[in-house]
Amino acid sequence: SFFSPFRRMVPIALQVLGSLLAWLCLYATFCRWNGRCSPEWNCRLVTLLHGATATCLSGYIALWDGPWPLSHAGSPNTALQVHVLSLTLGYFIFDLLWCLYFQTEGHLMLLHHTLSICGMILVLGLGKSATEVNAVVFVSEITNPLLQTRWFLREMGRYHTFLGEVVDFCFVLLFLVLRIGGGALIMYAMVTAPDPNWILKGGGLAMYVVSLGFMVEICRFVRRKVLKKYHAWMCLRSVNAPVRTNGHVAAH
């Protein structure tokens, strides 16, 4: 009947609303427990928790539960996929509202959140293509815990340590291999498959362009870090170099 799609969307809308309220309550709880910490500290705790949860759930679906996103793009949504996307959609709505209120993020991140929200709403409304969108969530969120850990290390004054170097290395490696490399495979499967909606294909390409924008920022960060280490090494080498007098090494 005409109202059947609306009846199907009511339970999903309730799941999304429940997810949004859950993330809001978790944020309020962190603010109450960590009264001395900044709002961003508590928000990033929520982001860290969501990133770890979404990575585990979406990874289980993409790699184990199926269907395989590279060969089944546009397939009907499973119940587990709907639950995970509803959970993630609620979080993205919460985080977008938080970013708009506190004005902490740039246009690229706001565009990323907006595209993510629209894409998940479209997939949940159509009742298909959650397979490839879930895979996109996996390759996107797997780097999020490392990104938040990097921020917390910086706030605690422990970023310039061996642990900070490991976190940076793992973040850049996972971003390039999974988000850029794996994301390209998912986008190719989505665009070339006949079943996915053309709006979803366009949104997927836009999301990948946003990821490329993040990649440019990361490459600039890596370049600055490498140059800084190189200059520090050259300065250390010049300090430790033996002093020569008339062609002979001077005594110390």
Side-chain angles (χ1 to χ4, degrees), residues 105-112:
E105 300 294 340
H107 296 301
L108 192 61
M109 182 61 74
L110 297 178
L111 178 61
H112 169 268

Side-chain angles (χ1 to χ4, degrees), residues 110-140:
L110 297 178
L111 178 61
H112 169 268
H113 277 36
T114 303
L115 288 174
S116 299
I117 291 171
C118 292
M120 284 184 278
I121 290 175
L122 179 61
V123 165
L124 292 172
L126 292 174
K128 63 179 183 178
S129 291
T131 299
E132 57 268 35
V133 172
N134 173 83
V136 171
V137 170
F138 173 67
V139 299
S140 300

Side-chain angles (χ1 to χ4, degrees), residues 3 14 17 31 34 39 42 44 70 79 86 92 107 117-118 139 144 169 178 181 192 209 215 224 231 251:
F3 294 101
L14 291 176
L17 179 60
C31 289
N34 306 317
N42 295 311
R44 285 183 181 269
L70 300 183
S86 297
F92 270 98
H107 296 301
I117 291 171
C118 292
V139 299
N144 208 311
F169 176 79
L178 290 180
T192 57
V209 170
M215 185 189 70
R224 289 194 304 267
H231 291 313

Side-chain angles (χ1 to χ4, degrees), residues 61-63 66-74 131-133 135 185-186 189-190:
I61 293 173
L63 303 176
W68 183 241
L70 300 183
S71 58
H72 291 76
T131 299
E132 57 268 35
V133 172
L185 293 177
I186 298 169
M190 180 187 298

Side-chain angles (χ1 to χ4, degrees), residues 11-34:
I12 298 176
L14 291 176
Q15 287 187 57
V16 175
L17 179 60
S19 171
L20 173 60
L21 293 176
W23 296 116
L24 281 170
C25 290
L26 184 61
Y27 172 69
T29 302
F30 283 145
C31 289
R32 185 178 181 86
W33 285 350
N34 306 317

Side-chain angles (χ1 to χ4, degrees), residues 21-94:
L21 293 176
W23 296 116
L24 281 170
C25 290
L26 184 61
Y27 172 69
T29 302
F30 283 145
C31 289
R32 185 178 181 86
W33 285 350
N34 306 317
R36 296 182 179 180
C37 299
S38 66
E40 185 172 5
W41 177 285
N42 295 311
C43 183
R44 285 183 181 269
L45 285 176
V46 176
T47 301
L48 177 63
L49 183 59
H50 169 265
T53 304
T55 297
C56 293
L57 293 176
S58 60
Y60 170 78
I61 293 173
L63 303 176
W64 184 263
D65 190 64
W68 183 241
L70 300 183
S71 58
H72 291 76
S75 59
N77 301 346
T78 67
L80 183 57
Q81 290 171 348
V82 170
H83 293 327
V84 173
L85 288 185
S86 297
L87 180 71
T88 299
L89 177 56
Y91 162 77
F92 270 98
I93 294 173
F94 155 77

